[in-house]
Amino acid sequence: MFLAISAVSGKPGKIRDDDDPNPLHIKLVYYKDYTIRAQIQLGTPGQTLNLMLDTTFADTIVISPKCLTWDNSTCSTNPALNYTRTTFDGSASSTFKNLGINAAKRGDNFQADYTASADAFSIADFQSNIMFGSAYYMPSSNDDSMADGILGLGIAGILGKSIFANLSSTYPSMTNTPSLVSYWLNDFEQPNGKGYLTLGDYDDRNCQNDNLTTITLTSGQNWEFRLNGWKHGNRGETKNLIARVDSTSRYNLVPQATLTAIGTAANATFDSGVGSYFLPCEKTTFLPDFQFTIGTQNYGIKYLEYVDSYMGTDRCEILFQTNSVWEQTRTGPQVVLGHPWQRAYCHMFDVQKLTLQISKANHYQ
């Protein structure tokens, strides 16, 4: 399973096919069905890393070979996940600079203490010198990210703007809107190609951009906006909720009362060990669209986008879970819009103007 990234030159809106010789078009891994990873090179000579795309944080963070975890083990290994992370060795790069500033990232996904650093960076044919974090400590025992760090596409970070804010503007002749990053995911039914990240242009092939919606952000710190309600079958409510777009989340996270209503509407059974509702896969085709309301407009998510076979069995999981931490503390959004929402709608992030547009995603079954 792959995710692809492309930078577009020539005709506006043109997305290159996978066999196109355009050197700015590469494939990226959509790993284990839930970690969206971009392959990059960092340093001189370049060291290859697979970073998790993170729309909640602007800083890009890699892992130092000397990094230790909360239990004093090395950060590169995670026996529970059977995954070994590739670390970045700054001492092996002739262009590496340690900037001597320490910072920390906390949150629901990747957590790390890191040192500000700078080095040569490339993704596809985009090359630049960037500032990033080199992690020396990972404090969480619940970190399940199967990646070598994070690639920040968020608004706010400690080290400044996302690297995407300046990356495509390095090649203005190749891009139509240098500060724009378009993001599309395919659904589970497609065996090849899990999406595109397009630098500097709209993805007119995979997104219905004739019907763009501009979303009013409620925060200058995150890709957050206001929902005005939801509906699933005969259940729903009109209620103001703050939602955040999170590319690291396999699930849509909602308040507990909403999750219970979704499970009831689907006649599904709750599995407390997983934290999700389940039903036989043969019954999923009868599930209604799940709808979020933004303003007065309803935005539907089809069952193909919010249901998945659990570990390849005929038992299907509804990809909604409770947003328990933020619901209790009230320090974050009530709703996290994860991969089910992102499969349903393309996102156009303008990382300079800090604007967000969405459009219905095309899928090819």
Side-chain angles (χ1 to χ4, degrees), residues 230 237 239 241 253-264 270 275-277 320-328 330 334-335:
W230 62 272
E237 63 180 338
K239 184 178 182 180
L241 300 164
L253 305 181
V254 295
Q256 179 61 55
T258 304
L259 180 65
T260 301
I262 292 171
T264 301
F270 186 71
S276 307
Y277 279 92
F320 282 75
Q321 290 191 348
T322 181
N323 190 11
S324 56
V325 175
W326 281 333
E327 185 177 8
Q328 293 169 5
R330 306 296 180 187
Q334 294 103 325
V335 174

Side-chain angles (χ1 to χ4, degrees), residues 197-217:
L197 190 65
T198 304
L199 303 186
D201 211 343
Y202 291 92
D203 181 351
D204 288 337
R205 186 183 73 177
N206 295 305
C207 307
Q208 299 176 23
N209 291 332
D210 290 337
N211 190 21
L212 283 170
T213 300
T214 299
I215 303 294
T216 301
L217 299 180

Side-chain angles (χ1 to χ4, degrees), residues 330-352:
R330 306 296 180 187
T331 59
Q334 294 103 325
V335 174
V336 172
L337 298 174
H339 297 171
W341 169 262
Q342 293 159 33
R343 278 189 286 272
Y345 294 94
C346 294
H347 293 67
M348 281 61 70
F349 305 101
D350 193 312
V351 291
Q352 287 284 14

Side-chain angles (χ1 to χ4, degrees), residues 121-147:
F121 169 91
S122 66
I123 184 170
D125 245 21
F126 288 107
Q127 299 178 359
S128 182
N129 290 317
I130 69 162
M131 187 184 300
F132 61 94
S134 181
Y136 58 85
Y137 176 65
M138 297 179 70
S140 176
S141 60
N142 297 318
D143 179 24
D144 60 357
S145 58
M146 287 189 276

Side-chain angles (χ1 to χ4, degrees), residues 204-276:
D204 288 337
R205 186 183 73 177
N206 295 305
C207 307
Q208 299 176 23
N209 291 332
D210 290 337
N211 190 21
L212 283 170
T213 300
T214 299
I215 303 294
T216 301
L217 299 180
T218 57
S219 168
Q221 303 297 309
N222 283 288
W223 301 112
E224 292 182 351
F225 53 90
R226 189 177 305 279
L227 300 174
N228 301 102
W230 62 272
K231 184 178 180 182
H232 189 230
N234 60 358
R235 304 280 176 146
E237 63 180 338
T238 300
K239 184 178 182 180
N240 288 331
L241 300 164
I242 299 298
R244 178 182 298 174
V245 180
D246 185 351
S247 61
T248 71
S249 178
R250 183 172 185 250
Y251 299 91
N252 286 342
L253 305 181
V254 295
Q256 179 61 55
T258 304
L259 180 65
T260 301
I262 292 171
T264 301
N267 196 26
T269 301
F270 186 71
D271 185 325
S272 59
V274 180
S276 307

Side-chain angles (χ1 to χ4, degrees), residues 66-174:
K66 297 180 180 180
C67 179
L68 296 177
T69 65
W70 62 279
D71 61 354
N72 213 36
S73 60
T74 62
C75 298
S76 60
T77 58
N78 191 329
L81 297 175
N82 192 27
Y83 178 77
T84 300
R85 297 186 176 99
T86 299
T87 59
F88 172 71
D89 186 357
S91 66
S93 171
S94 62
T95 49
F96 174 78
K97 293 182 180 180
N98 184 329
L99 302 180
I101 303 171
N102 291 336
K105 179 188 185 298
R106 298 294 183 264
D108 284 352
N109 45 68
F110 185 91
Q111 300 185 28
D113 295 353
Y114 55 96
T115 301
S117 309
D119 212 333
F121 169 91
S122 66
I123 184 170
D125 245 21
F126 288 107
Q127 299 178 359
S128 182
N129 290 317
I130 69 162
M131 187 184 300
F132 61 94
S134 181
Y136 58 85
Y137 176 65
M138 297 179 70
S140 176
S141 60
N142 297 318
D143 179 24
D144 60 357
S145 58
M146 287 189 276
D148 307 326
I150 59 171
L151 184 65
L153 183 53
I155 293 177
I158 298 171
L159 304 182
K161 291 184 178 180
S162 164
I163 62 171
F164 289 100
N166 299 312
L167 195 60
S168 58
S169 61
T170 307
Y171 301 87
S173 63
M174 297 181 180

